[in-house]
Amino acid sequence: MAKITLRQLLDDAAERGYGVPAFNINNMEQGLAIMEAADTVDAPVIIQASRGARSYAGDIMLSKMVDALVEMFPHIPLCLHQDHGNDEATCATAIQHGFTSVMMDGSLHPDGKTVSDYGYNIDITRRVAEMAHWIGASVEGELGVLGSLEHGSGEKEDGHGAEGTLGHDLLLTDPDQAIDFVRATGVDALAIAMGTSHGAYKFTRKPDGEILAMRVVEEIHRRLPTTHLVMHGSSSVPQPLQDMFNVFGGEMPQTWGVPVEEIVRGIKHGVRKVNIDTDCRLAMTAAFRKVALQSKSEFDPRKFLKPAMDALRELCRERFEQFGTAGNASRLKPITLADMARRYRSGALDPKIEHITQAA
Ligand code: G3H
Ligand code: 13P
Ligand code: ZN
């Protein structure tokens, strides 16, 4: 089966009311574990690579590895997505290397840390959407800035994340602005800010509506019912994984992530793509720690990597089931990029927001 675009996959998810986890990868073991999990439950897949992943593995390695995954799992539709593209060149070169979807994160300047203004975000996102749509690839934009409502700052992931302390005006996406942004840019999916942040340290307590503003998701979905919403920073940082990491010599202070039930609530209100990286890292690294501590003479990396892949496979399978992604792979017949490009040109995929009213 060919790769699938984000747009086709999320259109299907919206029609049937499910969400799709987007798992970050950097290496073969992560790719295999995700695909094996998807295979077990017949789930379509979004694999995403950050700029950090692209420089870690190299574009050729990443794209050929994903081609291998497509060949090995021909019945599983796979969308390869650029996570947090910082400028036009990052997005264009991703498509050149076989990505079927890109995120243009214009909420920050290309340095990945300076908060941009609204005009800048619209301009760069619209330019990338025009370019990608000529080819048939999909585009995710971001409006609002990821960061904690508790302390007003973002968590830097490998150089990406807002610097300084931000106010709630930036940390919570404005629903009226969201309508204008989608109309002006033509994005296929919209990442919104509601109090999640990247990394393990999202909340200092189990989140309630004060610090995880799911009401913002609901309000945006009410105003933009046909726009596919994206939740970033959506690792749950499960307690058993934190405990395992610490029992085997790790030092992770107690922390809270995004509860799965809140994500499921989001999926009922238009969230179609759910970004998860930290949980995958934690699952694998906790398993490494266990082997390192229990088998001190072990020096074969495979003896570390196999249990790590088992742990990641189990995590991914759980999320595919919890988000309703399971059972949807075999039904999907990927539309080619050329055909998607024709549909964009005809206007058939334009945002459907003419009838939408602004705030009462
Ligand atoms: O954007 C957040 C992801 O967790 C990617 O992290 O840039 O360290 O690969 P990374
Ligand atoms: P986590 O750090 O919560 O896994 O978020 C990942 C993410 O949003 C990647 O874009
Ligand atoms: Zn993110």
Side-chain angles (χ1 to χ4, degrees), residues 1-248:
M1 188 180 288
K3 276 180 267 182
I4 193 168
T5 60
L6 186 72
R7 177 62 186 265
Q8 188 194 350
L9 179 49
L10 300 193
D11 280 352
D12 186 73
E15 205 179 303
R16 293 179 175 255
Y18 64 93
V20 188
F23 297 117
N24 287 72
I25 69 162
N26 299 270
N27 59 45
M28 176 192 85
E29 286 76 12
Q30 293 168 314
L32 283 174
I34 294 164
M35 294 307 285
E36 286 165 6
D39 193 25
T40 317
V41 297
D42 189 40
V45 167
I46 302 171
I47 281 182
Q48 55 186 9
S50 65
R51 283 189 294 140
R54 286 177 65 186
S55 65
Y56 174 78
D59 282 339
I60 296 174
M61 182 60 77
L62 266 182
S63 69
K64 292 205 185 293
M65 195 166 84
V66 169
D67 286 348
L69 294 173
V70 171
E71 198 176 325
M72 289 169 75
F73 299 91
H75 46 292
I76 302 293
L78 191 169
C79 166
L80 177 58
H81 175 81
Q82 167 75 56
D83 191 24
H84 291 284
N86 63 324
D87 61 15
E88 297 94 326
T90 298
C91 295
T93 55
I95 296 171
Q96 217 169 22
H97 285 285
F99 288 57
T100 54
S101 176
V102 294
M103 175 188 194
M104 178 58 239
D105 180 358
S107 71
L108 301 176
H109 277 285
D111 66 5
K113 52 188 178 192
T114 310
V115 175
S116 69
D117 63 39
Y118 184 56
Y120 170 89
N121 193 357
I122 284 198
D123 280 353
I124 195 162
T125 307
R126 181 176 45 215
R127 274 202 302 281
V128 169
E130 278 170 7
M131 177 270 294
H133 290 168
W134 280 117
I135 302 160
S138 320
V139 176
E140 172 187 339
E142 173 160 331
L143 184 63
V145 182
L146 290 193
S148 158
L149 295 170
E150 289 184 90
H151 50 74
S153 53
E155 186 71 34
K156 263 203 226 15
E157 284 290 306
D158 209 20
H160 189 101
E163 235 172 31
T165 305
L166 311 173
H168 284 202
D169 54 326
L170 290 170
L171 294 169
L172 296 173
T173 302
D174 177 277
D176 284 335
Q177 214 172 43
I179 299 172
D180 186 59
F181 185 81
V182 172
R183 185 185 282 127
T185 59
V187 288
D188 301 287
L190 179 68
I192 56 177
M194 80 305 283
T196 63
S197 53
H198 291 137
Y201 306 103
K202 301 179 193 305
F203 305 108
T204 60
R205 59 185 164 88
K206 186 172 189 295
D208 54 20
E210 285 280 298
I211 56 178
L212 176 59
M214 296 306 292
R215 64 182 180 282
V216 171
V217 177
E218 295 178 2
E219 185 54 24
I220 294 174
H221 179 57
R222 200 178 65 73
R223 311 268 192 93
L224 282 171
T226 60
T227 297
H228 305 315
L229 303 180
V230 182
M231 279 177 71
H232 280 247
S234 290
S235 279
S236 303
V237 203
Q239 192 65 49
L241 288 183
Q242 290 184 51
D243 293 344
M244 181 168 165
F245 184 84
N246 286 333
V247 161
F248 295 108

